[in-house]
Amino acid sequence: MKKINLLLILFTIIFQGCDNNDCGACFTPPQSFEFEIIDKTSGENLFTNGAFDSNEITITDNLNNNEPVEFSFISENNINLIQIGSIGWKTEIVNLKIDISDNHIFSFYVDTERKMGDCCSYNQYNEISVTDSEFELDSQTGIYKILE
């Protein structure tokens, strides 16, 4: 009887350890996109110098009936960045229109696929583009500097 109980316990432990659905805590959230609006002549942040007011920012998705898009404005330590963190939680294409005070500033297009591999979900960005404005991408910080 002891052999049967020992074998039963051993098989139980082995099969519990072989759960193919147990991926652990492996999850890679999508990157957030950050934008700094700066004066292309002076290099000054246009929110910091008072030219723009963060309360007048509107972001809409042109591909989804101009639905408003959630964003954050980071003003801590006078950094003054627009942050969009809602892109990439699912496979999607977005074409965002960013306006400040009813003035079109730029458009932002993202084609992303949410994928699963080696038990972890991640994003594959097929295309990312900024249009309707000059910009620079800081490769170290990942911040898009929109030149106005």
Side-chain angles (χ1 to χ4, degrees):
M1 187 71 169
K2 281 186 174 184
K3 280 186 177 182
I4 294 174
N5 284 341
L6 184 59
L7 284 174
L8 184 58
I9 291 170
L10 184 60
F11 281 123
T12 303
I13 291 170
I14 289 172
F15 286 117
Q16 282 180 341
C18 293
D19 183 0
N20 289 333
N21 294 326
D22 182 18
C23 294
C26 181
F27 173 72
T28 305
Q31 75 181 53
S32 61
F33 295 96
E34 296 177 339
F35 305 92
E36 181 179 15
I37 315 296
I38 61 173
D39 182 281
K40 64 180 162 186
T41 305
S42 68
E44 288 183 296
N45 183 302
L46 292 172
F47 292 101
T48 304
N49 74 10
F52 288 149
D53 181 350
S54 63
N55 293 317
E56 297 178 340
I57 301 169
T58 57
I59 301 178
T60 55
D61 186 350
N62 289 335
L63 298 177
N64 194 13
N65 296 321
N66 291 320
E67 286 290 320
V69 173
E70 187 177 316
F71 69 93
S72 301
F73 187 78
I74 303 170
S75 60
E76 185 176 322
N77 297 325
N78 219 19
I79 196 166
N80 296 324
L81 297 174
I82 299 169
Q83 181 181 58
I84 302 172
S86 59
I87 299 171
W89 291 96
K90 60 185 178 184
T91 296
E92 65 183 331
I93 296 174
V94 296
N95 188 17
L96 306 182
K97 180 180 174 200
I98 293 83
D99 295 338
I100 302 173
S101 195
D102 293 327
N103 295 313
H104 180 60
I105 304 300
F106 68 101
S107 294
F108 186 62
Y109 177 90
V110 180
D111 176 356
T112 184
E113 289 180 62
R114 193 76 183 156
K115 294 193 166 201
M116 187 74 170
D118 293 334
C119 237
C120 295
S121 60
Y122 64 96
N123 284 73
Q124 176 179 313
Y125 293 100
N126 299 320
E127 184 178 352
I128 299 173
S129 65
V130 173
T131 57
D132 303 330
S133 182
E134 293 178 49
F135 74 96
E136 298 171 358
L137 174 59
D138 185 323
S139 61
Q140 291 186 344
T141 64
I143 297 172
Y144 290 84
K145 295 182 181 216
I146 306 301
L147 308 174
E148 276 296 300

mmCIF file of all heavy atoms in Angstrom, residues 108-141:
data_model
loop_
_atom_site.group_PDB
_atom_site.id
_atom_site.type_symbol
_atom_site.label_atom_id
_atom_site.label_comp_id
_atom_site.label_asym_id
_atom_site.label_seq_id
_atom_site.Cartn_x
_atom_site.Cartn_y
_atom_site.Cartn_z
ATOM 1 N N PHE A 108 -0.432 60.893 -35.174
ATOM 2 C CA PHE A 108 0.412 59.784 -34.724
ATOM 3 C C PHE A 108 -0.273 58.481 -35.108
ATOM 4 O O PHE A 108 -1.397 58.221 -34.699
ATOM 5 C CB PHE A 108 0.610 59.880 -33.208
ATOM 6 C CG PHE A 108 1.566 58.870 -32.647
ATOM 7 C CD1 PHE A 108 2.891 58.846 -33.045
ATOM 8 C CD2 PHE A 108 1.148 57.958 -31.691
ATOM 9 C CE1 PHE A 108 3.784 57.924 -32.516
ATOM 10 C CE2 PHE A 108 2.029 57.035 -31.153
ATOM 11 C CZ PHE A 108 3.356 57.014 -31.569
ATOM 12 N N TYR A 109 0.416 57.680 -35.924
ATOM 13 C CA TYR A 109 -0.126 56.429 -36.456
ATOM 14 C C TYR A 109 0.662 55.260 -35.887
ATOM 15 O O TYR A 109 1.898 55.274 -35.889
ATOM 16 C CB TYR A 109 -0.020 56.437 -37.980
ATOM 17 C CG TYR A 109 -0.474 55.161 -38.641
ATOM 18 C CD1 TYR A 109 -1.798 54.993 -39.022
ATOM 19 C CD2 TYR A 109 0.423 54.130 -38.893
ATOM 20 C CE1 TYR A 109 -2.219 53.821 -39.651
ATOM 21 C CE2 TYR A 109 0.010 52.962 -39.510
ATOM 22 C CZ TYR A 109 -1.314 52.816 -39.883
ATOM 23 O OH TYR A 109 -1.720 51.657 -40.488
ATOM 24 N N VAL A 110 -0.058 54.244 -35.386
ATOM 25 C CA VAL A 110 0.592 53.041 -34.862
ATOM 26 C C VAL A 110 -0.190 51.823 -35.329
ATOM 27 O O VAL A 110 -1.407 51.757 -35.177
ATOM 28 C CB VAL A 110 0.659 53.038 -33.317
ATOM 29 C CG1 VAL A 110 1.339 51.773 -32.809
ATOM 30 C CG2 VAL A 110 1.368 54.265 -32.785
ATOM 31 N N ASP A 111 0.546 50.857 -35.892
ATOM 32 C CA ASP A 111 0.007 49.548 -36.253
ATOM 33 C C ASP A 111 0.743 48.550 -35.367
ATOM 34 O O ASP A 111 1.955 48.366 -35.517
ATOM 35 C CB ASP A 111 0.264 49.268 -37.734
ATOM 36 C CG ASP A 111 -0.171 47.876 -38.179
ATOM 37 O OD1 ASP A 111 -0.610 47.064 -37.327
ATOM 38 O OD2 ASP A 111 -0.046 47.587 -39.374
ATOM 39 N N THR A 112 0.034 47.944 -34.412
ATOM 40 C CA THR A 112 0.670 47.041 -33.457
ATOM 41 C C THR A 112 -0.080 45.720 -33.371
ATOM 42 O O THR A 112 -1.290 45.688 -33.557
ATOM 43 C CB THR A 112 0.775 47.689 -32.064
ATOM 44 O OG1 THR A 112 1.472 46.829 -31.174
ATOM 45 C CG2 THR A 112 -0.576 47.987 -31.475
ATOM 46 N N GLU A 113 0.673 44.662 -33.105
ATOM 47 C CA GLU A 113 0.090 43.340 -32.887
ATOM 48 C C GLU A 113 0.490 42.865 -31.499
ATOM 49 O O GLU A 113 1.657 42.929 -31.137
ATOM 50 C CB GLU A 113 0.620 42.324 -33.902
ATOM 51 C CG GLU A 113 0.120 42.520 -35.302
ATOM 52 C CD GLU A 113 0.686 41.467 -36.235
ATOM 53 O OE1 GLU A 113 0.402 40.268 -36.023
ATOM 54 O OE2 GLU A 113 1.414 41.852 -37.161
ATOM 55 N N ARG A 114 -0.473 42.404 -30.738
ATOM 56 C CA ARG A 114 -0.197 41.792 -29.434
ATOM 57 C C ARG A 114 0.031 40.314 -29.698
ATOM 58 O O ARG A 114 -0.837 39.638 -30.257
ATOM 59 C CB ARG A 114 -1.384 42.012 -28.484
ATOM 60 C CG ARG A 114 -1.079 41.695 -27.056
ATOM 61 C CD ARG A 114 -0.248 42.788 -26.432
ATOM 62 N NE ARG A 114 0.087 42.426 -25.059
ATOM 63 C CZ ARG A 114 1.126 42.897 -24.429
ATOM 64 N NH1 ARG A 114 1.913 43.763 -25.011
ATOM 65 N NH2 ARG A 114 1.378 42.536 -23.207
ATOM 66 N N LYS A 115 1.194 39.814 -29.336
ATOM 67 C CA LYS A 115 1.573 38.437 -29.644
ATOM 68 C C LYS A 115 1.903 37.672 -28.377
ATOM 69 O O LYS A 115 2.148 38.256 -27.331
ATOM 70 C CB LYS A 115 2.779 38.415 -30.576
ATOM 71 C CG LYS A 115 2.472 38.985 -31.944
ATOM 72 C CD LYS A 115 3.547 38.670 -32.921
ATOM 73 C CE LYS A 115 3.047 38.940 -34.321
ATOM 74 N NZ LYS A 115 3.825 38.229 -35.289
ATOM 75 N N MET A 116 1.935 36.361 -28.530
ATOM 76 C CA MET A 116 2.281 35.471 -27.421
ATOM 77 C C MET A 116 3.431 34.599 -27.896
ATOM 78 O O MET A 116 3.369 34.017 -28.969
ATOM 79 C CB MET A 116 1.066 34.612 -27.056
ATOM 80 C CG MET A 116 1.237 33.788 -25.841
ATOM 81 S SD MET A 116 1.143 34.848 -24.413
ATOM 82 C CE MET A 116 1.077 33.640 -23.142
ATOM 83 N N GLY A 117 4.486 34.536 -27.114
ATOM 84 C CA GLY A 117 5.624 33.703 -27.472
ATOM 85 C C GLY A 117 6.383 33.298 -26.239
ATOM 86 O O GLY A 117 6.609 34.122 -25.351
ATOM 87 N N ASP A 118 6.798 32.046 -26.176
ATOM 88 C CA ASP A 118 7.527 31.544 -25.007
ATOM 89 C C ASP A 118 6.810 31.891 -23.716
ATOM 90 O O ASP A 118 7.427 32.296 -22.728
ATOM 91 C CB ASP A 118 8.955 32.083 -24.973
ATOM 92 C CG ASP A 118 9.796 31.552 -26.109
ATOM 93 O OD1 ASP A 118 9.486 30.450 -26.604
ATOM 94 O OD2 ASP A 118 10.758 32.230 -26.515
ATOM 95 N N CYS A 119 5.485 31.800 -23.765
ATOM 96 C CA CYS A 119 4.670 32.013 -22.567
ATOM 97 C C CYS A 119 4.495 33.486 -22.197
ATOM 98 O O CYS A 119 3.862 33.784 -21.207
ATOM 99 C CB CYS A 119 5.263 31.258 -21.378
ATOM 100 S SG CYS A 119 4.101 30.113 -20.646
ATOM 101 N N CYS A 120 5.090 34.397 -22.918
ATOM 102 C CA CYS A 120 4.996 35.826 -22.584
ATOM 103 C C CYS A 120 4.284 36.585 -23.696
ATOM 104 O O CYS A 120 4.533 36.348 -24.869
ATOM 105 C CB CYS A 120 6.389 36.427 -22.412
ATOM 106 S SG CYS A 120 7.291 35.763 -21.026
ATOM 107 N N SER A 121 3.428 37.521 -23.315
ATOM 108 C CA SER A 121 2.817 38.380 -24.317
ATOM 109 C C SER A 121 3.719 39.590 -24.530
ATOM 110 O O SER A 121 4.412 40.037 -23.632
ATOM 111 C CB SER A 121 1.417 38.813 -23.874
ATOM 112 O OG SER A 121 1.469 39.522 -22.675
ATOM 113 N N TYR A 122 3.716 40.091 -25.766
ATOM 114 C CA TYR A 122 4.551 41.235 -26.117
ATOM 115 C C TYR A 122 3.946 41.921 -27.333
ATOM 116 O O TYR A 122 2.993 41.414 -27.928
ATOM 117 C CB TYR A 122 6.001 40.801 -26.399
ATOM 118 C CG TYR A 122 6.137 39.900 -27.606
ATOM 119 C CD1 TYR A 122 6.466 40.428 -28.853
ATOM 120 C CD2 TYR A 122 5.934 38.531 -27.508
ATOM 121 C CE1 TYR A 122 6.588 39.610 -29.963
ATOM 122 C CE2 TYR A 122 6.056 37.704 -28.614
ATOM 123 C CZ TYR A 122 6.383 38.247 -29.842
ATOM 124 O OH TYR A 122 6.488 37.432 -30.941
ATOM 125 N N ASN A 123 4.493 43.079 -27.696
ATOM 126 C CA ASN A 123 4.017 43.831 -28.848
ATOM 127 C C ASN A 123 4.995 43.744 -29.996
ATOM 128 O O ASN A 123 6.205 43.787 -29.789
ATOM 129 C CB ASN A 123 3.846 45.310 -28.510
ATOM 130 C CG ASN A 123 2.622 45.546 -27.715
ATOM 131 O OD1 ASN A 123 2.586 45.202 -26.549
ATOM 132 N ND2 ASN A 123 1.616 46.105 -28.328
ATOM 133 N N GLN A 124 4.439 43.648 -31.184
ATOM 134 C CA GLN A 124 5.224 43.815 -32.397
ATOM 135 C C GLN A 124 4.662 45.053 -33.078
ATOM 136 O O GLN A 124 3.480 45.096 -33.440
ATOM 137 C CB GLN A 124 5.095 42.611 -33.314
ATOM 138 C CG GLN A 124 5.821 42.802 -34.637
ATOM 139 C CD GLN A 124 5.711 41.587 -35.519
ATOM 140 O OE1 GLN A 124 5.924 40.478 -35.078
ATOM 141 N NE2 GLN A 124 5.358 41.809 -36.777
ATOM 142 N N TYR A 125 5.500 46.076 -33.236
ATOM 143 C CA TYR A 125 5.068 47.299 -33.899
ATOM 144 C C TYR A 125 5.398 47.180 -35.373
ATOM 145 O O TYR A 125 6.562 47.128 -35.760
ATOM 146 C CB TYR A 125 5.737 48.521 -33.271
ATOM 147 C CG TYR A 125 5.271 48.749 -31.859
ATOM 148 C CD1 TYR A 125 6.038 48.344 -30.767
ATOM 149 C CD2 TYR A 125 4.046 49.347 -31.614
ATOM 150 C CE1 TYR A 125 5.587 48.534 -29.474
ATOM 151 C CE2 TYR A 125 3.585 49.537 -30.328
ATOM 152 C CZ TYR A 125 4.363 49.139 -29.262
ATOM 153 O OH TYR A 125 3.915 49.323 -27.983
ATOM 154 N N ASN A 126 4.360 47.129 -36.211
ATOM 155 C CA ASN A 126 4.551 47.018 -37.648
ATOM 156 C C ASN A 126 4.865 48.367 -38.268
ATOM 157 O O ASN A 126 5.609 48.440 -39.248
ATOM 158 C CB ASN A 126 3.307 46.414 -38.304
ATOM 159 C CG ASN A 126 3.040 45.016 -37.778
ATOM 160 O OD1 ASN A 126 3.958 44.228 -37.575
ATOM 161 N ND2 ASN A 126 1.781 44.712 -37.530
ATOM 162 N N GLU A 127 4.286 49.434 -37.696
ATOM 163 C CA GLU A 127 4.545 50.779 -38.213
ATOM 164 C C GLU A 127 4.222 51.805 -37.132
ATOM 165 O O GLU A 127 3.214 51.686 -36.428
ATOM 166 C CB GLU A 127 3.697 51.065 -39.456
ATOM 167 C CG GLU A 127 3.982 52.394 -40.093
ATOM 168 C CD GLU A 127 3.165 52.650 -41.357
ATOM 169 O OE1 GLU A 127 2.485 51.737 -41.841
ATOM 170 O OE2 GLU A 127 3.228 53.791 -41.843
ATOM 171 N N ILE A 128 5.103 52.786 -37.017
ATOM 172 C CA ILE A 128 4.884 53.933 -36.137
ATOM 173 C C ILE A 128 5.294 55.158 -36.943
ATOM 174 O O ILE A 128 6.399 55.190 -37.498
ATOM 175 C CB ILE A 128 5.747 53.858 -34.854
ATOM 176 C CG1 ILE A 128 5.398 52.611 -34.041
ATOM 177 C CG2 ILE A 128 5.575 55.122 -34.018
ATOM 178 C CD1 ILE A 128 6.308 52.370 -32.845
ATOM 179 N N SER A 129 4.409 56.154 -37.032
ATOM 180 C CA SER A 129 4.782 57.359 -37.774
ATOM 181 C C SER A 129 4.151 58.609 -37.160
ATOM 182 O O SER A 129 3.063 58.559 -36.595
ATOM 183 C CB SER A 129 4.399 57.241 -39.251
ATOM 184 O OG SER A 129 3.004 57.170 -39.394
ATOM 185 N N VAL A 130 4.880 59.698 -37.291
ATOM 186 C CA VAL A 130 4.409 61.030 -36.901
ATOM 187 C C VAL A 130 4.297 61.828 -38.189
ATOM 188 O O VAL A 130 5.245 61.861 -38.991
ATOM 189 C CB VAL A 130 5.401 61.718 -35.937
ATOM 190 C CG1 VAL A 130 4.987 63.160 -35.663
ATOM 191 C CG2 VAL A 130 5.527 60.942 -34.639
ATOM 192 N N THR A 131 3.133 62.443 -38.395
ATOM 193 C CA THR A 131 2.936 63.260 -39.595
ATOM 194 C C THR A 131 2.384 64.623 -39.195
ATOM 195 O O THR A 131 1.980 64.843 -38.054
ATOM 196 C CB THR A 131 1.967 62.579 -40.588
ATOM 197 O OG1 THR A 131 0.725 62.313 -39.933
ATOM 198 C CG2 THR A 131 2.560 61.281 -41.118
ATOM 199 N N ASP A 132 2.374 65.522 -40.162
ATOM 200 C CA ASP A 132 1.835 66.882 -40.022
ATOM 201 C C ASP A 132 2.705 67.780 -39.157
ATOM 202 O O ASP A 132 2.273 68.876 -38.773
ATOM 203 C CB ASP A 132 0.397 66.875 -39.468
ATOM 204 C CG ASP A 132 -0.545 66.052 -40.321
ATOM 205 O OD1 ASP A 132 -0.326 65.966 -41.538
ATOM 206 O OD2 ASP A 132 -1.491 65.469 -39.756
ATOM 207 N N SER A 133 3.917 67.344 -38.817
ATOM 208 C CA SER A 133 4.831 68.171 -38.038
ATOM 209 C C SER A 133 6.240 67.607 -38.159
ATOM 210 O O SER A 133 6.418 66.399 -38.336
ATOM 211 C CB SER A 133 4.419 68.186 -36.565
ATOM 212 O OG SER A 133 5.288 69.025 -35.827
ATOM 213 N N GLU A 134 7.213 68.488 -38.051
ATOM 214 C CA GLU A 134 8.590 68.016 -37.953
ATOM 215 C C GLU A 134 8.771 67.439 -36.558
ATOM 216 O O GLU A 134 8.135 67.894 -35.602
ATOM 217 C CB GLU A 134 9.572 69.173 -38.127
ATOM 218 C CG GLU A 134 9.583 69.786 -39.500
ATOM 219 C CD GLU A 134 10.553 70.961 -39.553
ATOM 220 O OE1 GLU A 134 11.710 70.812 -39.106
ATOM 221 O OE2 GLU A 134 10.122 72.025 -40.023
ATOM 222 N N PHE A 135 9.641 66.437 -36.447
ATOM 223 C CA PHE A 135 9.887 65.854 -35.130
ATOM 224 C C PHE A 135 11.274 65.234 -35.081
ATOM 225 O O PHE A 135 11.907 64.986 -36.114
ATOM 226 C CB PHE A 135 8.830 64.795 -34.793
ATOM 227 C CG PHE A 135 8.996 63.502 -35.536
ATOM 228 C CD1 PHE A 135 9.672 62.428 -34.955
ATOM 229 C CD2 PHE A 135 8.503 63.353 -36.820
ATOM 230 C CE1 PHE A 135 9.834 61.240 -35.646
ATOM 231 C CE2 PHE A 135 8.659 62.163 -37.509
ATOM 232 C CZ PHE A 135 9.331 61.103 -36.920
ATOM 233 N N GLU A 136 11.730 64.994 -33.877
ATOM 234 C CA GLU A 136 12.956 64.250 -33.614
ATOM 235 C C GLU A 136 12.611 63.207 -32.572
ATOM 236 O O GLU A 136 11.876 63.489 -31.629
ATOM 237 C CB GLU A 136 14.054 65.158 -33.062
ATOM 238 C CG GLU A 136 14.492 66.259 -34.003
ATOM 239 C CD GLU A 136 15.416 67.272 -33.336
ATOM 240 O OE1 GLU A 136 15.698 67.149 -32.118
ATOM 241 O OE2 GLU A 136 15.839 68.198 -34.038
ATOM 242 N N LEU A 137 13.163 61.995 -32.734
ATOM 243 C CA LEU A 137 12.981 60.949 -31.744
ATOM 244 C C LEU A 137 14.281 60.798 -30.980
ATOM 245 O O LEU A 137 15.321 60.515 -31.572
ATOM 246 C CB LEU A 137 12.596 59.615 -32.401
ATOM 247 C CG LEU A 137 12.504 58.403 -31.485
ATOM 248 C CD1 LEU A 137 11.475 58.605 -30.374
ATOM 249 C CD2 LEU A 137 12.198 57.154 -32.284
ATOM 250 N N ASP A 138 14.228 61.038 -29.673
ATOM 251 C CA ASP A 138 15.405 60.848 -28.822
ATOM 252 C C ASP A 138 15.551 59.349 -28.576
ATOM 253 O O ASP A 138 14.746 58.751 -27.866
ATOM 254 C CB ASP A 138 15.222 61.603 -27.503
ATOM 255 C CG ASP A 138 16.454 61.558 -26.618
ATOM 256 O OD1 ASP A 138 17.133 60.507 -26.584
ATOM 257 O OD2 ASP A 138 16.728 62.566 -25.944
ATOM 258 N N SER A 139 16.565 58.741 -29.183
ATOM 259 C CA SER A 139 16.720 57.289 -29.107
ATOM 260 C C SER A 139 17.059 56.808 -27.697
ATOM 261 O O SER A 139 16.816 55.649 -27.369
ATOM 262 C CB SER A 139 17.788 56.818 -30.096
ATOM 263 O OG SER A 139 19.032 57.403 -29.789
ATOM 264 N N GLN A 140 17.591 57.671 -26.855
ATOM 265 C CA GLN A 140 17.917 57.256 -25.487
ATOM 266 C C GLN A 140 16.705 57.276 -24.571
ATOM 267 O O GLN A 140 16.534 56.395 -23.745
ATOM 268 C CB GLN A 140 19.032 58.122 -24.914
ATOM 269 C CG GLN A 140 20.361 57.871 -25.590
ATOM 270 C CD GLN A 140 21.494 58.620 -24.925
ATOM 271 O OE1 GLN A 140 21.278 59.539 -24.147
ATOM 272 N NE2 GLN A 140 22.709 58.215 -25.237
ATOM 273 N N THR A 141 15.849 58.277 -24.700
ATOM 274 C CA THR A 141 14.689 58.390 -23.816
ATOM 275 C C THR A 141 13.413 57.872 -24.454
ATOM 276 O O THR A 141 12.444 57.574 -23.754
ATOM 277 C CB THR A 141 14.450 59.861 -23.418
ATOM 278 O OG1 THR A 141 14.124 60.612 -24.606
ATOM 279 C CG2 THR A 141 15.654 60.459 -22.716
#
